[in-house]
Structures are given as structure tokens and as C-alpha cells.
Amino acid sequence: MEYSSDDIAAARSLQFAMYISASMATIWVYDYACSLHEEWTFLLRSQWSKMKYLYIVTRYPPSILLTANLYSSFSSNDNSSKCRVSGNMNSGLGVALVVFSECFFILRTYALWNKNRNLLVAILSVFFTFLAASFIIDFTASVPAEYATSAIPGITGCYNSSTSFQLFIQFLLLSVFQLGLVMLTLIRAIQNWRININSSRLFVVLVKHNIFYYTCGFLFSVVNIITPLLLQYAYHTMLYDFQVIILAILATRMHRYLWQIANGSGTRAHSNI
């Protein structure tokens, strides 16, 4: 039986998406295995606080997202309604994980600016405005979405066949927000340098972490803005969850490292960043 070029392209995109899902799971498991001792040291010795709860809800729910992705990628599913449920669940969990990851660095930016409440109110106002817009966009794009499977036997998984250019707006909003926070970080660092303040090690680490995190987040967002505009089939959403997982890993590793410095074990932690 002969298949059209569209069928072959769609099948290849599903296979590539399956490889991406497997690589995401591998990265997350590898990161957890490499930091297992530090992970449990932090969980057992650190005091219970809002930041610790935030750490837990950022660190462990990615396993649910990865499991759902692997199941969707490797299971043969001809029911479009199940694909829609899986896609909506992944989208909602992904947005929640991005919110948790960003909260770490909103609070860090707040700390860099000596806990300026006016700045915090401004940041949170912009953040929740962008978040509400993202939920509206996600809802309007996912409800009418159609899902398709491969016409070629043996190719598992499904994808959103109705390309919606609205989805890239979410990443555009996220990149603008991240760009604004990295500018605040740079401004604060320049202010300290100009008035010749001898910054503590914690301050230096906060600045470096903020810049590195938001640079990674900004680059991922740019890629996820471009892919829906240029690519089709499963390609246009294949890196959405990848960005979510990487940001969650970075946020939790950086928070754990900061805790190690505050508790006098920064030398050992530095080699693992």
C-alpha cells in the first residue's frame, strides 16, 4: 500500500516526537539520580517553609508530565477524544510547572532589590496578567483542536492536526516577562557595581543564576515561538514540554545550590552546577 507524502511526513514527526519524549524522561531521571544524595540532604535537613513546598511541587510533578507523554507517544490510540484529554492535561500541567519555576525567580528578584514591595506588586501584576492571557489563549486554542494519528501501521502517538498560531503567543508573553526580569537583575547588579558595594557570595550567585535561567528560558521561548509558525504535524509542539522540564530542573537545582551555600556546603555544590 502506498502512502502520501503527508502521511510519511506526519509519521516521521510522530517518531521524532517520541524520541523527544524519551530524551526528556532520560534527562529528568539522570538529573535526579546524579543529585539523589543532595536531594535527600536538602529535604531532610532544610526547614519546612513556603520555599520548600514550592521546591517539592516544582521538582516532582514533571514525572507525571513525562509519564503521560511517554504513554501518549508509545501507545496506539485511535480515539481522538483521548488524545484531546491527554493534550489538555499536559498543557495544564505544563503551565502550572512554568508558574512554579518562575515563582522562584520572582522571589529572587524581589530579594535582589532588598524586598522592595512596590517592585514585587508590579512584577506580580504583570505576571498574573500574562498568566490569565495564557490560560485564555490555551483554552480558545485547545477546545476546537483536532487530533490525528498516523495512517501508517506501527506508528504510535497522536498530534494536534489543527495548527493554531495562537499558541506561540503564550511563549511570546513568557519571553517578554523573562526579558523584563533579567533586565531588573542586570540593573541591580550594575547599581551595586557603580556604588562599589562588596557584594556577598549569595548576591553574586543570585545574579548569575537569574541571568543564566532567564537566558535559557528566553532562548527556549524564541524557539517555541518560531516552530509553530514554520513547522507542521507533531513538530510544532514537540519542544513545549521540553522547555517546561528544563526550567523546572534549573529552578530546583539552583534553589538547592543556594541552600547549600547558605548552610556552608557551597564548595561541594559548585562542582555539580
Side-chain angles (χ1 to χ4, degrees), residues 126 130 171-181 218 221 225:
V126 174
F130 284 5
F171 293 97
L172 180 61
L173 295 175
L174 179 60
S175 63
V176 170
F177 182 75
Q178 291 174 333
L179 186 61
L181 286 188
F218 182 77
S221 294
I225 290 170

Side-chain angles (χ1 to χ4, degrees), residues 218-231:
F218 182 77
L219 292 176
F220 269 112
S221 294
V222 170
V223 171
N224 278 318
I225 290 170
I226 295 173
T227 50
L229 299 176
L230 300 181
L231 302 179

Side-chain angles (χ1 to χ4, degrees), residues 7-237:
D7 291 336
I8 295 174
R12 286 177 177 172
S13 73
L14 285 170
Q15 286 183 316
F16 195 78
M18 180 176 63
Y19 300 148
I20 292 293
S21 297
S23 66
M24 285 192 299
T26 302
I27 290 172
W28 190 86
V29 172
Y30 178 77
D31 173 73
Y32 187 81
C34 289
S35 60
L36 187 60
H37 175 72
E38 295 174 4
E39 180 90 13
W40 284 99
T41 299
F42 168 75
L43 291 175
L44 295 174
R45 295 185 181 179
S46 62
Q47 295 181 349
W48 286 98
S49 63
K50 293 178 182 179
M51 293 302 295
K52 189 170 182 176
Y53 288 118
L54 181 60
Y55 177 92
I56 291 173
V57 298
T58 307
R59 178 62 166 166
Y60 294 101
S63 62
I64 302 174
L65 179 63
L66 292 171
T67 302
N69 276 338
L70 289 174
Y71 177 79
S72 177
S73 297
F74 286 92
S75 63
S76 184
N77 193 353
D78 296 328
N79 192 331
S80 61
S81 62
K82 290 184 179 179
C83 289
R84 179 177 287 104
V85 170
S86 177
N88 291 341
M89 184 188 74
N90 288 353
S91 178
L93 185 56
V95 171
L97 286 172
V98 169
V99 170
F100 295 149
S101 299
E102 294 298 313
C103 283
F104 275 106
F105 291 89
I106 290 174
L107 294 174
R108 286 181 170 212
T109 304
Y110 173 57
L112 284 175
W113 284 83
N114 295 326
K115 297 184 177 180
N116 187 316
R117 291 187 177 274
N118 292 331
L119 179 66
L120 180 63
V121 169
I123 292 174
L124 290 178
S125 298
V126 174
F127 180 67
F128 284 115
T129 300
F130 284 5
L131 182 61
S134 296
F135 272 116
I136 294 172
I137 293 168
D138 191 41
F139 180 77
T140 56
S142 61
V143 169
E146 297 180 359
Y147 288 81
T149 56
S150 176
I152 301 176
I155 303 297
T156 57
C158 53
Y159 64 94
N160 188 342
S161 59
S162 55
T163 303
S164 176
F165 297 116
Q166 293 175 314
L167 292 176
F168 86 91
I169 300 177
Q170 293 177 298
F171 293 97
L172 180 61
L173 295 175
L174 179 60
S175 63
V176 170
F177 182 75
Q178 291 174 333
L179 186 61
L181 286 188
V182 79
M183 292 301 296
L184 287 174
T185 301
L186 290 173
I187 290 171
R188 188 59 178 168
I190 292 171
Q191 285 180 346
N192 274 32
W193 173 72
R194 291 186 66 180
I195 60 180
N196 295 320
I197 292 179
N198 292 324
S199 302
S200 66
R201 187 181 180 189
L202 283 176
F203 181 90
V204 174
V205 169
L206 280 172
V207 170
K208 289 181 178 179
H209 280 186
N210 278 21
I211 293 174
F212 181 73
Y213 174 87
Y214 284 119
T215 300
C216 290
F218 182 77
L219 292 176
F220 269 112
S221 294
V222 170
V223 171
N224 278 318
I225 290 170
I226 295 173
T227 50
L229 299 176
L230 300 181
L231 302 179
Q232 295 179 332
Y233 310 113
Y235 293 119
H236 71 276
T237 58

